[in-house]
Amino acid sequence: EAGVAQSPRYKIIEKRQSVAFWCNPISGHATLYWYQQILGQGPKLLIQFQNNGVVDDSQLPKDRFSAERLKGVDSTLKIQPAKLEDSAVYLCASSIGTSISDTQYFGPGTRLTVL
Amino acid sequence: KQEVTQIPAALSVPEGENLVLNCSFTDSAIYNLQWFRQDPGKGLTSLLLIQSSQREQTSGRLNASLDKSSGRSTLYIAASQPGDSATYLCAVTNTGNQFYFGTGTSLTVIP
């Protein structure tokens, strides 16, 4: 079974630029999560989708971050414009069910550096 | 808001030693608690999940316990091996379906 795929693996941009990350979850998984993990901290949930609907985006900085999951499959997370404090690893995860207690399978992450 | 803390932040032990990692949380109204392993450059792997009604879960050399009333969980690793070197994260699911990770413990097992 293929795992969660993310691209790119690394991205370096200057502040005020825009960037987009892509995630392809495990086939058939209903729920998709985006997390932000700042160096030395645990991951913080940014947004949770069930199929193509948003379940929780309470910790997403909506003035600069946006995410979509068209057709309930893959997803993109965008930052526009980026700030220095956005430097982090962005993790995507998926789970087969719709409960947040279901086992989540994580992708390798995208490491973003904002200069 | 739920606060999840892990102590110590880093730990080095010689191979073969038994060790305990700690996780504490401030809000005891949790649905479950999970322990994850994170290897450098890779995603997280779920190790153990304990439901709020359970006291412990075991998988191989790993044993996780949960004391919900005191807001604590421990992950016990028996007979540690160099391959156990990784960052270990605990995460709680609140009854409000919100998911919070701890700060992580970086473990190094020295051959």
Side-chain angles (χ1 to χ4, degrees):
Chain A
E1 176 181 82
V4 176
Q6 290 187 248
S7 68
R9 293 294 309 277
Y10 305 91
K11 189 74 176 179
I12 301 174
I13 62 172
E14 295 189 348
K15 60 183 179 183
R16 291 188 289 273
Q17 285 187 321
S18 301
V19 64
F21 312 128
W22 175 80
C23 172
N24 190 19
I26 293 173
S27 177
H29 279 199
T31 306
L32 185 147
Y33 310 82
W34 282 103
Y35 292 88
Q36 179 193 58
Q37 185 175 22
I38 294 172
L39 185 65
Q41 300 181 16
K44 180 181 81 172
L45 179 66
L46 293 177
I47 190 167
Q48 176 188 353
F49 292 95
Q50 280 181 14
N51 299 306
N52 61 345
V54 175
V55 174
D56 181 3
D57 63 356
S58 57
Q59 298 193 86
L60 186 73
K62 298 180 184 64
D63 58 333
R64 298 182 301 104
F65 285 65
S66 65
E68 61 183 8
R69 190 184 184 199
L70 299 177
K71 301 180 182 178
V73 182
D74 54 354
S75 174
T76 56
L77 176 69
K78 297 179 181 178
I79 308 175
Q80 181 179 8
K83 293 185 176 181
L84 296 177
E85 58 262 35
D86 298 332
S87 293
V89 175
Y90 291 85
L91 296 165
C92 179
S94 69
S95 62
I96 194 166
T98 57
S99 169
I100 198 165
S101 65
D102 288 337
T103 299
Q104 297 182 38
Y105 297 86
F106 283 78
T110 296
R111 181 176 297 277
L112 173 67
T113 302
V114 182
L115 302 175
Chain B
K1 182 189 171 186
Q2 179 75 271
E3 299 283 343
V4 185
T5 307
Q6 293 183 244
I7 295 174
L11 180 65
S12 289
V13 299
E15 181 177 2
E17 194 165 292
N18 302 326
L19 59 101
V20 174
L21 306 180
N22 298 293
C23 172
S24 61
F25 46 95
T26 55
D27 184 353
S28 62
I30 67 169
Y31 190 73
N32 62 40
L33 183 144
Q34 296 186 63
W35 283 93
F36 291 84
R37 170 186 172 134
Q38 185 172 31
D39 293 280
K42 298 184 179 179
L44 283 71
T45 302
S46 179
L47 298 173
L48 290 164
L49 183 152
I50 311 176
Q51 300 291 352
S52 62
S53 58
Q54 296 175 321
R55 298 284 294 183
E56 65 179 336
Q57 282 287 338
T58 299
S59 175
R61 294 183 294 108
L62 306 180
N63 175 275
S65 67
L66 174 64
D67 184 345
K68 198 172 68 166
S69 60
S70 67
R72 295 178 186 228
S73 175
T74 61
L75 178 66
Y76 175 82
I77 302 177
S80 59
Q81 302 170 358
D84 295 330
S85 298
T87 296
Y88 290 81
L89 294 151
C90 67
V92 299
T93 305
N94 276 10
T95 52
N97 258 4
Q98 293 170 317
F99 197 68
Y100 296 93
F101 274 94
T103 47
T105 294
S106 176
L107 172 66
T108 302
V109 180
I110 304 165

